[in-house]
């Protein structure tokens, strides 16, 4: 399966502009809702209403299907670091959606960091098992309806919304496939005329 590394080319246009609360995170990493109880998702702290998880994991292959073609995308540590920096620089912490569809009020990213030392990182407090270069975020949910959805398990993690470069490799790959088909057609015509 083809793999495409996504990256930032233009800091003014590329990067993450929102974080979405989703049921099925593409990075396949569920969050941990901060709590004083030991249940699986640790959703119980009514006062804090905070969830923490990974937004991006370096080199993690993420399956995608676009224009009938199946492929994996991934991000390098460097791209993830630049993405996190631009996200904060551009003041996007209040840009939160649900399932990439509906913007919501009353949710904000209150912490954002890149894991530099997995052994000694804050993410260990939440048992995230975050690798070096992962982007971790902590989000506070003020919105009662969305907090209820978190507690009931409707949302299990984060997903990013952004613009990245690299998809041109997919188009080049598609053109190559079309060229290969043309060559096969020409070869068949020659063979039929011999």
């Amino acid at each position: 399966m083809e793999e495409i590394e996504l990256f930032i080319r233009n800091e003014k246009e590329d990067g993450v502009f929102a974080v979405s609360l989703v049921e099925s995170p593409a990075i396949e990493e569920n969050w941990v809702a901060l709590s004083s109880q030991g249940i699986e998702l640790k959703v119980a702290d009514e006062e804090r209403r905070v969830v923490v998880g990974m937004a991006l994991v370096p080199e993690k292959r993420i399956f995608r299907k676009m224009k009938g073609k199946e492929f994996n995308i991934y991000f390098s540590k460097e791209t993830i670091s630049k993405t996190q920096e631009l996200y904060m620089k551009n003041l996007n912490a209040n840009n939160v959606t649900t399932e990439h569809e509906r913007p919501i009020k009353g949710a904000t990213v209150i912490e954002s960091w890149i894991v530099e030392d997995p052994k000694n990182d804050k993410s260990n407090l939440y048992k995230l098992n975050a690798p070096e270069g992962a982007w971790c975020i902590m989000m506070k949910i003020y919105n009662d309806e969305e907090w209820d959805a978190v507690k009931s398990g409707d949302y299990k993690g984060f997903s990013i919304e952004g613009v990245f470069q690299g998809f041109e490799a997919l188009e080049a790959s598609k053109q190559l496939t079309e060229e290969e088909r043309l060559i096969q057609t020409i070869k068949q015509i020659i063979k039929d005329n011999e």
Side-chain angles (χ1 to χ4, degrees):
M1 183 174 299
E2 186 173 0
E3 295 186 346
I4 298 172
E5 179 180 357
L6 298 185
F7 57 94
I8 292 173
R9 179 177 292 134
N10 182 335
E11 291 186 15
K12 293 181 180 176
E13 296 177 7
D14 297 344
V16 171
F17 53 82
V19 174
S20 192
L21 300 168
V22 295
E23 181 180 6
S24 300
I27 63 167
E28 300 173 337
E29 300 289 345
N30 290 348
W31 61 30
V32 176
L34 300 184
S35 161
S36 57
Q37 297 181 2
I39 60 176
E40 186 177 337
L41 290 178
K42 299 183 182 177
V43 177
D45 193 332
E46 292 290 331
E47 292 178 37
R48 291 192 65 203
R49 293 183 174 201
V50 173
V51 291
V52 63
M54 289 181 275
L56 284 173
V57 177
E59 307 303 323
K60 174 91 175 185
R61 277 24 185 195
I62 303 166
F63 176 78
R64 288 287 175 255
K65 187 173 182 177
M66 191 166 76
K67 298 179 183 175
K69 186 161 179 102
E70 295 180 351
F71 57 97
N72 287 318
I73 60 169
Y74 67 97
F75 300 87
S76 68
K77 289 179 190 177
E78 296 77 18
T79 295
I80 292 172
S81 180
K82 179 55 78 175
T83 298
Q84 186 265 355
E85 174 190 330
L86 292 173
Y87 176 80
M88 298 307 289
K89 176 184 171 190
N90 294 327
L91 306 175
N92 288 318
N94 291 322
N95 295 343
V96 179
T97 67
T98 57
E99 300 294 348
H100 298 290
E101 294 174 1
R102 184 176 56 89
I104 62 169
K105 300 279 186 215
T108 189
V109 173
I110 58 172
E111 291 189 37
S112 172
W113 73 95
I114 298 295
V115 175
E116 295 179 22
D117 177 1
K119 184 178 176 185
N120 296 305
D121 191 76
K122 178 179 184 170
S123 62
N124 290 326
L125 295 172
Y126 312 111
K127 297 180 174 59
L128 293 180
N129 198 27
E132 181 179 340
W135 176 16
C136 295
I137 61 175
M138 186 178 289
M139 182 181 287
K140 182 149 178 122
I141 313 290
Y142 301 94
N143 181 306
D144 292 337
E145 180 182 331
E146 300 306 336
W147 181 246
D148 288 343
V150 168
K151 291 190 310 180
S152 68
D154 292 349
Y155 307 130
K156 295 180 176 66
F158 299 119
S159 183
I160 62 166
E161 296 184 22
V163 175
F164 292 92
Q165 302 303 309
F167 288 105
E168 59 273 5
L170 183 63
E171 290 302 316
S173 167
K174 185 178 176 184
Q175 290 171 0
L176 182 64
T177 303
E178 291 169 5
E179 290 172 15
E180 289 173 342
R181 278 192 238 138
L182 180 60
I183 290 170
Q184 287 177 344
T185 302
I186 292 170
K187 284 181 179 179
Q188 187 62 44
I189 292 171
I190 293 170
K191 185 178 177 184
D192 290 345
N193 288 327
E194 288 180 344

